[in-house]
Amino acid sequence: MRKPKIVISECLNGKKCRYDGQGYNDKVIKELKDYIHMETVCPEVAIGLPTPRKPIRIEKHKEKEEYKLIDYDSQNDYTNQILEFSDEFLNNLTDVDGFILKSKSPTCGIKDVKIYYQGNKCSIRNNGSGFFSQKIMDAYNYLPIENEGRLKNYSIRDNFFTKIFLINNLKETKDIKDFHCKNLLLLKSYNKEDTNKLSQLLEKENLGEDIISKYKKSVYEIISKERNKNEKLSVIMSIFEKYKSKLSLDEVNMFEDIVRSYQKGKTPFSTLAVAIRMYATRFSDKEVLNQSFFNPYPEELINITDSGKGRKL
């Protein structure tokens, strides 16, 4: 079976290629690697820089309002090399599903890279993106792109995992209608209106390549947005309405108490999901039980014992 293909900064997978000669065995990547196809890259080593090496940085040159990749000590300029490598790497990259890049790196950092005015020791107040990562974001803005620091948060990690495995399932499926049925609630948790349009698109008896292509493109557009707790709650409540008339008053009141607690940030989303799945099991609602909304990625990857605690779901 196909696995999600994720491009990862090589230093996060333990390779000692950082400027200080060190590597880092990132916990999330260590847990994820058995479930993905991983391609690693270190742009700085790829353009010929040694390990260890003097740190390089991004400088803003006022006279031309341009950014350069500079070794501050030697004043060597690596801008052209990194741009050429980035273009070559992306031109040869195929069938990718997401990226995990090194935070704060002048090549791989996403939004947290320090930028300096030419020759100054103090960084500019506003941070920016690395040269390599910017090329990635320009070319693959429809795919999930994260750094290892943000993935320490449960909510952000949950969203990243959900997207890469949904994309993988979309690429692997041979039956678009079956894919849509299984992922209907998950897609609605991103955007209900656009998902309903997709349902209408698939009502045609014969699905030509043009319709399938349009469907896949729309799925990418839908999940490019971030889910919030209200959208996920809306899906849960739509399921609950199916069962409400079959429940006792005490059961209804208890569930509504859980909802209010979730809205106040005192109860994790998983509590709501478990309650709904219990009702779906009780009423033999296979249509709900088969939804990826409840298990969007392998349960072995679920870990709420970190900074997120599941509360931001």
Side-chain angles (χ1 to χ4, degrees):
M1 294 180 64
R2 186 186 188 278
K3 295 180 179 180
K5 180 177 178 180
I6 310 299
V7 173
I8 295 174
S9 291
E10 197 163 27
C11 61
L12 299 176
N13 193 40
K15 184 69 176 292
K16 295 184 177 181
C17 57
R18 283 171 49 85
Y19 76 94
D20 56 4
Q22 300 299 309
Y24 174 55
N25 285 304
D26 182 77
K27 179 181 177 182
V28 171
I29 293 172
K30 184 178 180 180
E31 295 175 347
L32 183 62
K33 62 170 50 178
D34 288 340
Y35 301 92
I36 63 172
H37 173 69
M38 181 167 54
E39 181 169 343
T40 60
V41 58
C42 177
E44 295 175 25
V45 170
I47 63 174
L49 296 180
T51 304
R53 55 188 173 273
K54 292 290 184 180
I56 54 178
R57 69 183 199 174
I58 299 178
E59 287 189 356
K60 183 177 182 180
H61 290 221
K62 291 183 178 180
E63 66 275 8
K64 293 184 179 180
E65 286 297 312
E66 61 182 0
Y67 295 89
K68 294 188 175 184
L69 189 63
I70 301 290
D71 179 331
Y72 178 73
D73 289 344
S74 68
Q75 285 299 294
N76 288 335
D77 185 347
Y78 298 104
T79 309
N80 289 335
Q81 290 98 312
I82 197 64
L83 291 176
E84 289 174 3
F85 167 76
S86 300
D87 288 337
E88 180 182 2
F89 180 86
L90 292 176
N91 286 337
N92 290 310
L93 184 63
T94 58
D95 204 21
V96 65
D97 303 311
F99 299 82
I100 303 176
L101 303 174
K102 180 68 185 77
S103 61
K104 302 180 182 180
S105 161
T107 54
C108 292
I110 298 175
K111 295 180 180 179
D112 54 3
V113 183
K114 289 184 178 180
I115 298 176
Y116 300 79
Y117 282 121
Q118 182 180 4
N120 286 9
K121 291 186 176 182
C122 296
S123 61
I124 300 173
R125 180 171 297 179
N126 295 325
N127 292 338
S129 304
F131 279 88
F132 180 66
S133 58
Q134 186 60 59
K135 286 281 189 176
I136 287 174
M137 290 187 286
D138 290 342
Y140 292 100
N141 62 344
Y142 56 91
L143 290 181
I145 304 170
E146 283 292 354
N147 66 48
E148 87 290 354
R150 279 172 49 85
L151 290 178
K152 289 181 172 63
N153 179 278
Y154 176 77
S155 180
I156 294 172
R157 188 172 66 252
D158 174 73
N159 191 48
F160 181 82
F161 286 175
T162 296
K163 288 182 178 182
I164 64 172
F165 282 96
L166 179 64
I167 290 170
N168 181 70
N169 293 339
L170 178 61
K171 289 181 176 180
E172 191 179 39
T173 188
K174 292 180 174 60
D175 186 338
I176 287 295
K177 288 187 176 181
D178 181 64
F179 169 87
H180 188 70
C181 287
K182 291 179 179 177
N183 295 282
L184 180 62
L185 297 184
L186 181 58
L187 291 171
K188 282 187 175 182
S189 71
Y190 283 95
N191 189 302
K192 182 178 179 180
E193 183 178 343
D194 288 347
T195 299
N196 287 337
K197 291 179 181 178
L198 281 185
S199 297
Q200 295 171 5
L201 183 67
L202 297 182
E203 287 177 355
K204 298 182 180 181
E205 292 186 9
N206 298 317
L207 301 181
E209 288 299 321
D210 56 333
I211 293 179
I212 293 176
S213 178
K214 183 178 180 180
Y215 177 88
K216 291 182 177 181
K217 182 180 179 181
S218 297
V219 168
Y220 279 103
E221 291 174 351
I222 288 171
I223 67 173
S224 67
K225 304 174 179 65
E226 298 297 326
R227 292 189 293 177
N228 60 50
K229 62 188 301 180
N230 291 330
E231 290 164 335
K232 296 176 75 172
L233 178 59
S234 176
V235 170
I236 288 290
M237 295 307 297
S238 68
I239 304 171
F240 179 67
E241 288 300 317
K242 294 173 60 177
Y243 309 140
K244 190 174 181 179
S245 62
K246 303 175 184 179
L247 301 175
S248 69
L249 180 60
D250 286 341
E251 288 176 310
V252 171
N253 289 338
M254 177 176 288
F255 186 82
E256 291 178 346
D257 284 342
I258 296 174
V259 169
R260 283 189 287 270
S261 181
Y262 170 71
Q263 290 174 319
K264 294 177 181 178
K266 296 182 178 181
T267 297
F269 175 77
S270 57
T271 302
L272 282 173
V274 168
I276 282 293
R277 290 178 70 186
M278 289 179 65
Y279 292 142
T281 301
R282 176 176 165 184
F283 300 119
S284 300
D285 193 343
K286 293 182 179 180
E287 183 179 350
V288 169
L289 291 172
N290 289 332
Q291 287 292 313
S292 66
F293 177 73
F294 299 105
N295 294 292
Y297 53 85
E299 64 179 10
E300 292 83 359
L301 294 175
I302 298 173
N303 181 358
I304 64 171
T305 60
D306 55 23
S307 62
K309 304 291 185 184
R311 293 297 179 88
K312 296 184 179 181
L313 280 177

